Amino acid sequence: MNLVAIVALVLALGVASRVLADRLRIPSVLFLILAGIAIGPEVLGVVSRETFGGGLSAMVGVSVAIILFEGGYHLRREKLRESPAALTRLVTVGAAITWLGTAAAVVVFLETSLEVGLLVGALLIATGPTVIGPILQVVTVRDHVAAVLEGEGVINDVTAAILVVVVFEVLVAGDGTPAALVGNFAVRLFVGLAIGAIVAAAVWLLLDRGRSRPCAAPLHARLIVLAGIVVAYAGAETVASETGIAAAAMAGFVLGNVDLPYHEDVIDFLDDLSVVVLSFVFVALAALIDFGDILSLGLAGIAIVVAITLVLRPAVIYLSTTSERFTRNERLFLSAVGPRGIIPASVATLFAVELQALGRSQEAQLLAGTVFLIIFATVVLQAGLARQIANTLQVSPMRTIIVGGGRVGLSLAERLERDGENVLLIDNDPDAVETAQKRGLRALEGDGTDADVLERAGAADAKTVIATAPDDDVNLLACQLAKTTFDVERVASRVNQPDNVDAFESLGVRAIDLSMATAWSLENVLERPSLSAWMNELGRTGDVQEIEVTAADLVGKTIAELNAEIPDGVIVGLLTHRDSSTEVPTGDHELRDGDRVTFLGQTDAVDRAVKRFHPHD
């Protein structure tokens, strides 16, 4: 089979894997690696190490640069602020523990040299957006958990790519010192980040000048961004080897966090491009797995997998996520999901060849076998079972579905998103769906009165369904389906005609009479203007949250005793008991099991109070 036909086959398998993964809601990397093994020398023999000749390294390098650029582009500063301390510890102390701990396991179980152990450990620091991205497409977790996984993937890919080269040049091929190792690493990291930032600035300037020609600009934006990725990668590689990854990631991060012209066009382009290159590199590299190298490790290989996945990963996560914000199950989920991706696979192949050139063929076989064993085991077990792990640990917040993407539905979705809800908006108007997506909301095009559409939206597991369409018949049917077909506990609806309120309430739907709601709002504006203005700012400067008290150590205490537990800038406005009676509490009121507390105050203060009183959401 000629090279063109093989590339076509690889891409076809990649796209088929993605479609199958979307349908079964399983991360696509599992099917990609299985497809690569199927066409590799171990099964069909269509692809081998000689298939792509010397061009594979360059193709994989540019592909990884594109994937990391996209990962950096989506890594917004706001997202990193979700858990900055945890992410910082994870990519510094956590990366060091993973590196040295893996090296120790390799040296002990495989009885090899410390230098080779450190080389393998450096490779296996990386998780990467190639494996984390597909997982987060099918597993919904709270924002701070997703931020840690995404940030770790991008940053540790850069760390691993540079560190493995430095370890090889300084310790394996050379006779350097730890000081030389640190210095070499710092220089290469600086080169990559600096070149990436410079290229990002140039891309921004070019796109900013293109604002005056709006017709051709979106196409030009795509081409300029693609050129920027290649220039950043190639330019950094020319200055110092294996710094191109850092340059691409940095360029993506900078451009993703500035006011980039044609932002939506760039996102669409990067999403499509990354699907193609991810499919290619995963299938191509999976085809290079040599099961002979893996089997030669024997029980020692299994011991290393256990040490990395069941000892080192949980230890790193528990040391990094000390904040109350991470629940016990979220920490278990992070511990159980740390698959290795493209960086270890691509670089392991390169350095196995380098070790053979040094006459250390046994160590080359050990390196390739260990790295590919960890990749295979973690992709199959951790990435492949990620959704099942999340469901078992109950770390996926239940969804709030809004039927109707007009002004009311869109505004409500944005407010609920600010409150930390997991919102999906449904509308059969493609323009409404596009508008919602441009505002950063998850939206599905479809008829909200169709049971199949609601099922696809996850209504069976939804916490709340809210109908906000301007047509009461549409809202009533959507609510009826949610109640009777999917047994959704909380269902609410906008009611446009007051005479229809009884029909909704007879179904057990919380009906919001639009005319009464408008009148109530106008009354507040006239009679209680300060309160009305403050309520309109909820989620920005102020917030109101009602939660059930789940902190066991607070039950039995009076409100007066809890003053020390309540942050400045927030008060307990209401106390709701199990019997649904609600009152404004005094200092003598005592919290009882099952009580619900309503906090009012500044947004940050309310957030801290909620985490203290309700840490197990």
Side-chain angles (χ1 to χ4, degrees), residues 14-360:
V15 173
S17 298
R18 178 63 181 264
V19 172
L20 183 61
D22 288 344
R23 178 160 297 184
L24 298 178
R25 292 194 59 76
I26 294 174
S28 59
V29 290
L30 176 62
F31 297 107
L32 291 172
I33 199 169
L34 292 177
I37 292 170
I39 63 173
E42 301 294 330
V43 183
L44 298 178
V46 176
V47 177
S48 67
R49 293 181 186 273
E50 292 74 31
T51 299
F52 300 100
L56 181 61
S57 177
M59 287 188 288
V60 169
V62 174
S63 299
V64 172
I66 291 170
I67 294 166
L68 274 178
F69 181 94
E70 189 216 14
Y73 194 85
H74 287 291
L75 204 61
R76 306 301 294 268
R77 287 194 302 269
E78 303 83 37
K79 186 177 291 185
L80 294 179
R81 292 192 191 107
E82 290 289 338
S83 292
L87 180 58
T88 300
R89 285 192 292 267
L90 193 57
V91 300
T92 53
V93 176
I97 292 173
T98 302
W99 176 35
L100 299 176
T102 302
V106 170
V107 170
V108 170
F109 292 119
L110 295 177
E111 300 179 350
T112 188
S113 65
L114 178 60
E115 292 84 0
V116 172
L118 290 171
L119 191 64
V120 174
L123 279 167
L124 294 176
I125 290 173
T127 52
T130 58
V131 284
I132 297 302
I135 289 174
L136 293 178
Q137 287 173 355
V138 299
V139 176
T140 301
V141 291
R142 294 202 293 169
D143 286 346
H144 60 278
V145 178
V148 164
L149 284 173
E150 291 177 319
E152 178 197 22
V154 173
I155 296 170
N156 278 357
D157 256 16
V158 172
T159 300
I162 295 175
L163 184 59
V164 69
V165 175
V166 173
V167 169
F168 183 84
E169 292 184 356
V170 176
L171 300 181
V172 178
D175 189 21
T177 63
L181 184 75
V182 173
N184 200 323
F185 176 83
V187 169
R188 287 175 185 268
L189 181 62
F190 175 78
V191 167
L193 297 182
I195 291 176
I198 292 169
V199 171
V203 169
W204 182 85
L205 286 171
L206 287 171
L207 291 180
D208 190 55
R209 290 182 179 179
R211 291 181 195 265
S212 59
R213 291 183 300 237
C215 294
L219 174 60
H220 292 166
R222 294 180 174 91
L223 296 176
I224 290 170
V225 167
L226 179 59
I229 298 171
V230 176
V231 169
Y233 174 76
E237 288 290 316
T238 302
V239 177
S241 62
E242 298 304 323
T243 58
I245 298 299
M250 184 63 177
F253 177 72
V254 171
L255 290 173
N257 284 278
V258 298
D259 180 20
L260 189 70
Y262 317 107
H263 171 74
E264 297 299 329
D265 295 293
V266 171
I267 285 182
D268 292 342
F269 173 66
L270 289 175
D271 287 346
D272 293 340
L273 187 60
S274 65
V275 168
V276 175
V277 296
L278 175 62
S279 301
F280 173 77
V281 293
F282 238 113
V283 174
L285 290 175
L288 304 183
I289 295 178
D290 187 337
F291 281 91
D293 290 344
I294 294 176
L295 294 174
S296 67
L297 300 175
L299 293 177
I302 297 175
I304 292 172
V305 171
V306 170
I308 291 173
T309 59
L310 300 183
V311 179
L312 286 174
R313 178 69 178 179
V316 166
I317 292 300
Y318 272 75
L319 286 172
S320 301
T321 56
T322 55
S323 166
E324 287 181 351
R325 188 171 195 185
F326 291 89
T327 66
R328 174 177 173 274
N329 282 359
E330 285 174 343
R331 296 170 89 182
L332 286 173
F333 176 75
L334 289 169
S335 300
V337 178
R340 272 52 178 186
I342 292 298
I343 291 293
S346 59
V347 182
T349 304
L350 170 65
F351 285 106
V353 174
E354 295 287 346
L355 283 172
Q356 286 179 335
L358 294 174
R360 302 167 71 168

Side-chain angles (χ1 to χ4, degrees), residues 292-474:
D293 290 344
I294 294 176
L295 294 174
S296 67
L297 300 175
L299 293 177
I302 297 175
I304 292 172
V305 171
V306 170
I308 291 173
T309 59
L310 300 183
V311 179
L312 286 174
R313 178 69 178 179
V316 166
I317 292 300
Y318 272 75
L319 286 172
S320 301
T321 56
T322 55
S323 166
E324 287 181 351
R325 188 171 195 185
F326 291 89
T327 66
R328 174 177 173 274
N329 282 359
E330 285 174 343
R331 296 170 89 182
L332 286 173
F333 176 75
L334 289 169
S335 300
V337 178
R340 272 52 178 186
I342 292 298
I343 291 293
S346 59
V347 182
T349 304
L350 170 65
F351 285 106
V353 174
E354 295 287 346
L355 283 172
Q356 286 179 335
L358 294 174
R360 302 167 71 168
S361 57
Q362 185 175 356
E363 291 175 331
Q365 184 181 16
L366 179 150
L367 170 72
T370 303
V371 171
F372 278 111
L373 172 63
I374 297 297
I375 293 171
F376 187 74
T378 56
V379 166
V380 171
L381 297 176
Q382 297 184 340
L385 299 176
R387 190 161 65 95
Q388 288 73 17
I389 294 170
N391 291 339
T392 300
L393 294 174
Q394 297 181 334
V395 296
S396 296
M398 294 183 72
R399 176 161 283 173
T400 294
I401 298 174
I402 297 177
V403 177
R407 288 191 298 269
V408 174
L410 196 59
S411 298
L412 177 61
E414 289 181 321
R415 295 181 76 89
L416 291 176
E417 278 283 340
R418 285 200 299 269
D419 290 339
E421 296 289 338
N422 174 25
V423 180
L424 176 69
L425 192 146
I426 302 175
D427 200 289
N428 55 13
D429 181 358
D431 292 335
V433 171
E434 184 179 357
T435 299
Q437 290 173 341
K438 285 182 177 179
R439 296 194 187 185
L441 298 168
R442 287 181 289 276
L444 173 67
E445 184 179 344
D447 184 354
T449 64
D450 186 329
D452 291 337
V453 173
L454 287 176
E455 183 177 11
R456 196 149 45 97
D461 300 315
K463 174 177 67 174
T464 307
V465 170
I466 307 170
T468 62
D471 187 329
D472 282 350
D473 290 337
V474 170

Side-chain angles (χ1 to χ4, degrees), residues 523-593:
E523 181 191 4
N524 280 336
V525 169
L526 296 173
E527 302 294 334
R528 293 169 284 275
S530 297
L531 177 62
S532 177
W534 183 77
M535 290 290 289
N536 285 330
E537 286 295 310
L538 288 185
R540 299 185 184 95
T541 59
D543 201 3
V544 176
Q545 291 287 339
E546 179 183 335
I547 51 94
E548 180 182 351
V549 178
T550 58
D553 60 316
L554 300 183
V555 174
K557 292 186 177 182
T558 65
I559 297 297
E561 291 173 327
L562 292 172
N563 280 337
E565 305 286 347
I566 300 173
D568 292 336
V570 63
I571 62 171
V572 177
L574 295 172
L575 186 62
T576 305
H577 303 293
R578 274 186 180 275
D579 60 2
S580 298
S581 62
T582 299
E583 56 189 333
V584 177
T586 66
D588 296 329
H589 274 95
E590 193 175 275
L591 279 187
R592 298 197 294 266
D593 186 42

Side-chain angles (χ1 to χ4, degrees), residues 492-525:
S493 179
R494 158 190 178 180
V495 181
N496 302 282
Q497 298 297 326
D499 294 342
N500 294 332
V501 169
D502 289 343
F504 284 88
E505 291 183 342
S506 66
L507 292 174
V509 175
R510 177 64 189 272
I512 310 299
D513 182 348
L514 192 60
S515 58
M516 288 298 295
T518 304
W520 180 77
S521 297
L522 288 171
E523 181 191 4
N524 280 336
V525 169

